[in-house]
């Protein structure tokens, strides 16, 4: 129940969902009621927010502090386990395995495989439940890892955890007091590290899938890329707030 509630709240507070809801309510008031001023305010506010959250200078500054809050993995450090957290998957058998993963999930497993090859004595833990799919994220991760050269006997699948807190508990049961490299999206790392730290797991961060990158030329465009960055930032702010609320 808590899992579904969290997902529902997050969905309606996302920039796109929230903006469209404001615009829709505003237009309904304009078309079907006499509350013209309220309708104009709501629809104009929704449109303004949609533009703001789609503007790259704003969205980059929203997301970048979150992505930069965790250090890159120190490749000189040795770990016993490399943990790749789950993400969205669409188990469509008509396309290749890597294309069944979201762009974020694809970046995570590629980074996990890269680190596993750098540390041949480690084991690779892959996580993620199936949801409404025929295959779990963990299962597809494992198949991709094998295709990329990781021996099957080095891979441990966690197919049951539905979110990061459950993943941390499951990893603790396997890793115990051993050191792990935690692989997840850079924007998600701060929140993920909190859960793993609470389980007293020796965790070294290994962030990947950076979206808010600094370039020499400022991107002044309004586009879907800007909106995606804003969505990621707001998602994490909501996630951190939920984390603090449920940890007390």
């Amino acid at each position: 129940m808590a899992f579904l509630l969290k997902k529902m709240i997050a969905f309606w507070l996302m920039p796109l969902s929230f903006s469209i809801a404001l615009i829709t309510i505003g237009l309904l008031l304009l078309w079907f009621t006499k509350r013209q001023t309220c309708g104009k305010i709501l629809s104009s506010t929704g449109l303004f927010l949609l533009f703001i959250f789609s503007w790259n200078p704003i969205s980059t500054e929203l997301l970048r502090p979150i992505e930069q809050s965790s250090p890159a993995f120190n490749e000189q450090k040795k770990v016993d386990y490399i943990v790749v957290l789950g993400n969205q998957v669409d188990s469509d058998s008509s396309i290749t395995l890597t294309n069944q993963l979201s762009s974020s999930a694809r970046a995570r497993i590629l980074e996990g495989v890269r680190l596993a090859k750098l540390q041949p004595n480690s084991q690779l833990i892959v996580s993620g439940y199936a949801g409404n799919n025929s295959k779990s994220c963990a299962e597809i991760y494992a198949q991709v890892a094998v295709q990329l050269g990781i021996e099957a006997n080095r891979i441990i699948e966690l197919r049951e955890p539905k979110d990061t807190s459950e993943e941390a508990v499951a990893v603790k049961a396997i890793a115990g007091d051993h050191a792990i490299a935690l692989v997840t999206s850079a924007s998600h790392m701060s929140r993920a590290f909190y859960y793993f730290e609470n389980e007293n797991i020796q965790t070294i961060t290994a962030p990947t899938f950076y979206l808010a990158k600094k370039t020499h030329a400022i991107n002044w465009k309004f586009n879907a890329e800007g909106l995606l960055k804003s969505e990621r930032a707001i998602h994490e702010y909501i996630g951190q707030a939920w984390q603090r609320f449920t940890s007390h």
Side-chain angles (χ1 to χ4, degrees):
M1 183 64 183
F3 176 76
L4 293 176
L5 178 62
K6 178 178 66 173
K7 293 296 183 183
M8 187 179 299
I9 292 172
F11 174 80
W12 285 111
L13 291 180
M14 287 296 98
L16 181 59
S17 303
F18 187 66
S19 298
I20 289 178
L22 288 178
I23 294 170
T24 301
I25 295 170
L27 289 175
L28 289 173
L29 291 175
L30 287 172
W31 277 92
F32 300 109
T33 75
K34 294 181 180 180
R35 304 180 69 177
Q36 299 296 294
T37 300
C38 185
K40 290 176 182 178
I41 291 173
L42 288 177
S43 56
S44 298
T45 301
L47 187 60
F48 174 75
L49 290 176
L50 191 58
F51 274 111
I52 286 297
F53 285 124
S54 300
W55 195 30
N56 278 279
I58 297 292
S59 62
T60 297
E61 292 307 316
L62 277 175
L63 183 58
R64 188 169 173 79
I66 302 174
E67 289 192 338
Q68 296 296 318
S69 62
S70 301
F73 182 72
N74 182 350
E75 296 180 1
Q76 302 304 313
K77 291 188 176 181
K78 299 299 180 183
V79 296
D80 300 299
Y81 296 92
I82 296 161
V83 179
V84 182
L85 299 187
N87 198 250
Q88 183 179 344
V89 58
D90 295 298
S91 49
D92 183 347
S93 60
S94 67
I95 59 178
T96 61
L97 286 173
T98 51
N99 285 296
Q100 293 177 38
L101 299 170
S102 68
S103 52
S104 178
R106 193 156 52 243
R108 294 180 190 189
I109 189 58
L110 289 177
E111 180 67 6
V113 168
R114 186 183 75 85
L115 295 180
K117 289 183 176 181
L118 287 175
Q119 307 220 18
N121 294 323
S122 66
Q123 286 187 284
L124 180 64
I125 299 177
V126 292
S127 181
Y129 80 130
N132 295 322
N133 292 289
S134 60
K135 289 184 180 180
S136 67
C137 182
E139 188 177 358
I140 294 180
Y141 273 168
Q143 291 174 350
V144 170
V146 169
Q147 287 185 354
L148 295 176
I150 303 300
E151 298 88 346
N153 59 10
R154 290 182 60 194
I155 303 171
I156 300 171
E157 296 181 33
L158 300 177
R159 301 185 183 184
E160 299 302 322
K162 297 187 295 294
D163 58 20
T164 313
S165 61
E166 292 183 7
E167 288 175 317
V169 173
V171 169
K172 177 64 176 180
I174 296 170
D177 296 327
H178 294 279
I180 71 164
L182 181 61
V183 180
T184 189
S185 304
S187 60
H188 180 238
M189 182 58 77
S190 178
R191 190 155 53 98
F193 183 80
Y194 176 90
Y195 285 121
F196 279 75
E197 191 177 48
N198 272 2
E199 295 297 325
N200 296 313
I201 302 172
Q202 294 185 56
T203 306
I204 303 172
T205 58
T208 187
F209 195 60
Y210 290 86
L211 294 177
K213 302 171 186 176
K214 285 290 188 181
T215 60
H216 295 294
I218 298 176
N219 182 355
W220 294 100
K221 296 178 180 178
F222 296 91
N223 56 23
E225 179 186 354
L227 185 60
L228 173 62
K229 287 185 284 188
S230 291
E231 293 251 320
R232 287 303 312 160
I234 300 300
H235 179 84
E236 286 307 315
Y237 287 129
I238 293 171
Q240 289 174 13
W242 179 272
Q243 192 175 61
R244 294 187 184 95
F245 176 75
T246 55
S247 63
H248 294 296

